[in-house]
């Protein structure tokens, strides 16, 4: 009978012989191994989000939003929460029942603004820095920055209309042709 | 160097050319309307859903439809002359045994002209509705797409110069592509010449008020006008073709008027004061009530209203005859209401026409009364009728009989075009059926 123990001694750290290499050599070997491992390791992938470049370009918007898209996007913008499926379906059907779709959308916006849950910037916020407000409004509604001429015109318009509120600015953007397209 | 004579000659030619060359009007037409308008108001009822000739104008009630049944009579006594059935009354209110009282003291048939046997082009609902509005058999007309050829709405607006809120289409639902019928996809016509549209069963349903019944009102000068000014600036930086926007061309004033109308309807729906027919327990009667309200408010030159409840005949004959009885009731209410609108009383022409009929033979479905049901696809489905009444329509005249039809479905649209002064323009456009003609030409 072959003795298993004799032929293949089990590893036992207590039975390991003492290290015969000098500390210097051991250190060198460890450093070499580390360097070798580092050299073979795949470089880490680094994922980053690029800052989107918003340009004053609207030429790529050629598709008319469906009623569902229009309601969904506008509702989310104004109420900071998405509409429920039931709400979206019901309001879309109602829009279909009105022949003039621009008029229908006007009615929807006017109903939204009658809600106390609409999240709008205050008039004082708009008036304190109209330029920034215009930039933000263009980004929110058009997903782009205003051109220099656009920004100048809208800023001047708000400045010269003291009773013009952020709600009316939002109404104009929501009703504008560019907002209907993507 | 040109002589004085050359100068005078060229100046004269230029002046003559300017006088002769057509002027492009805002409505898009080249010349001012040249047709003679012979009516101030026209109302077209698409008495639709597939009305079987035998039970409607044939006045055969159950006799030609149900095996073993012999009851005959006129279910549509507001529209047609003739005695109602005297037995087997199943089409009324309650359990069906109480017929609805007639609204009109004299039937529309006795006040106008009945085309007893008219030919339909198409036996599918959407194609057939299109054949009424386009005045043609719409070859290549698919479902769920807009009419391929111009509709009467567009002819009126483009060639007659009618304003958007002067031309209305009222549908009884948003299903079956009905909302697509208010304008075609034709590049020379299309949305800018479309009709205003409501589907009152949806638009003015009490539940809809949760969503659109709270329209915020803005001050027209200090708020609304500057808002529109800003919108106009924003729009000026985004170029569009004419057809890209789904906009009918309602002016700002027209839009405001429509919004006022909607507010009024929402309020009166809540209060229960809409001018509904005395019995209004169906989509058709409900729809007709709001069509009457559109007439009262806008007094449009042209209104088309679509009824559809009789389509239940595919699987429920009893409900079908109830629906037909109510559609007649709705038309009676419509005509009665028109006579109470001062501008329209005695000054309005009414045209009623189904889009298609129904089969001669039943399908396999039997309803709760054991009555067989009918689809619409065979030759019998091409048998329809047309009824006209109005100041220029001969009274108590009946034309056509079984086997000897007078008129075809496309003639309804041509009659509207004739009455409202765009018949020649429609003919010249070249999209109608070659044999389409005004019903007046058949009288």
């Amino acid at each position: 009978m072959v003795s298993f123990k004799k032929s293949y001694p089990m590893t036992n750290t207590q039975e390991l012989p003492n290290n015969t290499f000098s500390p210097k050599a051991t250190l060198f070997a460890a450093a070499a191994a580390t360097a070798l491992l580092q050299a073979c390791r795949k470089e880490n992938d680094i994922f980053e989000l690029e800052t989107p470049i918003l340009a004053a370009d609207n030429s790529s918007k050629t598709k008319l939003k469906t009623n569902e898209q229009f309601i969904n996007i506008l509702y989310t913008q104004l109420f900071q929460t998405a509409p429920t499926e039931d709400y979206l379906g019901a309001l879309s059907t109602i829009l279909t029942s009105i022949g003039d779709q621009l008029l229908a959308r006007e009615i929807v916006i006017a109903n939204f603004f009658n809600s106390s849950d609409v999240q709008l910037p205050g008039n004082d916020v708009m008036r304190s820095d109209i330029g920034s407000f215009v930039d933000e409004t263009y980004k929110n509604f058009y997903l782009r920055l205003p051109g220099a001429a656009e920004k100048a015109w809208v800023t001047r318009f708000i400045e010269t209309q003291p009773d013009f509120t952020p709600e009316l600015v939002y109404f104009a953007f929501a009703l504008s042709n560019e907002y209907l397209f993507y | 160097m040109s002589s004085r004579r050359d100068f005078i000659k060229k100046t004269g030619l230029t002046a003559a050319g300017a006088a002769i060359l057509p002027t492009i009007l805002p409505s898009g037409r080249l010349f001012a309307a040249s047709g003679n308008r012979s009516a101030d108001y026209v109302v077209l009822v698409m008495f639709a859903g597939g009305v079987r000739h035998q039970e409607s104008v044939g006045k055969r009630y159950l006799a030609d439809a149900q095996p073993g049944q012999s009851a005959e009579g006129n279910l549509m006594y507001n529209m047609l002359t003739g005695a109602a059935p005297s037995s087997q009354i199943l089409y009324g209110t309650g359990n069906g045994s109480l017929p609805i009282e007639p609204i009109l003291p004299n039937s529309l048939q006795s006040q106008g002209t009945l085309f007893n046997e008219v030919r339909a082009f198409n036996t599918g609902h959407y194609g057939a509705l299109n054949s009424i509005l386009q005045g043609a058999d719409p070859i290549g007309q698919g479902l769920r797409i807009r009419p391929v050829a111009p509709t009467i709405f567009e002819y009126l607006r483009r060639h007659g110069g009618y304003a958007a809120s002067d031309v209305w289409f009222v549908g009884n639902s948003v299903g079956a592509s009905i909302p697509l019928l208010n304008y075609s996809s034709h590049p020379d016509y299309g949305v800018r010449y479309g009709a205003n549209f409501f589907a009152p069963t949806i638009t003015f349903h009490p539940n809809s008020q949760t969503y659109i019944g709270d329209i915020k009102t803005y001050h027209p000068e200090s708020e609304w006008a500057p808002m529109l000014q800003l919108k106009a600036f924003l729009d000026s930086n985004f170029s569009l073709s004419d057809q890209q926007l789904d906009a009918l061309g309602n002016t700002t004033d027209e839009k405001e008027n429509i919004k006022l109308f909607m507010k009024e309807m929402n309020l009166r729906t809540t209060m229960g004061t809409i001018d509904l027919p005395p019995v209004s327990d169906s989509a058709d009667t409900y729809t007709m009530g709001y069509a009457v309200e559109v007439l009262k408010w806008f007094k449009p030159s042209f209104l088309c209203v679509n009824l559809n409840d009789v389509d239940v005949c595919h699987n429920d004959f009893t409900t079908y005859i109830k629906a037909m009885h109510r559609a007649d009731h709705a038309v009676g209410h419509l005509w009665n209401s028109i006579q109470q609108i001062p501008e329209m009383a005695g000054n309005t022409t009414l045209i009623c026409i189904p889009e298609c009929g129904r089969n001669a033979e039943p399908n396999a479905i039997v309803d709760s009364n054991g009555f067989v049901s009918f689809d619409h696809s065979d030759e019998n489905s091409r048998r329809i009728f047309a009824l006209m009444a109005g100041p220029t329509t001969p009274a108590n005249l009946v034309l056509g009989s079984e086997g000897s039809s007078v008129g075809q479905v496309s003639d309804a649209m041509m009659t509207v075009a004739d009455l409202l002064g765009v018949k020649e323009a429609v003919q010249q456009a070249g999209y109608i059926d070659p044999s389409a003609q005004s019903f007046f030409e058949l009288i």
Side-chain angles (χ1 to χ4, degrees), chain A residues 58 97 100 106 111 167 177, chain B residues 203 214 218 235 237 250 259:
Chain A
N58 56 18
S97 77
D100 189 332
E106 202 174 298
N111 270 268
E167 178 180 326
N177 293 343
Chain B
T203 319
D214 195 19
Y218 294 91
D235 289 347
N237 289 297
N250 284 304
K259 282 193 276 186

Side-chain angles (χ1 to χ4, degrees), chain B residues 14 21 38 97 162 185 189 195 206 232 265 279 291 304 323 339-340 407 433:
Chain B
T14 305
L21 280 172
S38 56
S97 63
Y162 292 86
S185 58
Y189 292 83
M265 291 303 101
V279 174
C304 174
Q339 305 317 316
Q340 292 166 27
D433 185 80

Side-chain angles (χ1 to χ4, degrees), chain B residues 290-306:
Chain B
Y290 287 90
V292 166
E293 296 289 357
V294 169
L295 289 177
K296 286 180 177 176
W297 187 279
F298 297 98
K299 300 172 187 67
S301 295
F302 179 59
L303 178 139
C304 174
V305 57
N306 160 245

Side-chain angles (χ1 to χ4, degrees), chain A residues 21 31 60 82 91 111:
Chain A
F21 293 108
S60 61
L91 190 49
N111 270 268

Side-chain angles (χ1 to χ4, degrees), chain B residues 12-41:
Chain B
L13 284 172
T14 305
I20 292 166
L21 280 172
T23 304
I24 303 205
L25 301 173
S27 62
R29 59 202 158 116
L30 292 178
F31 297 94
S34 56
N36 293 320
R37 181 176 174 172
S38 56
D40 286 336
Y41 305 100

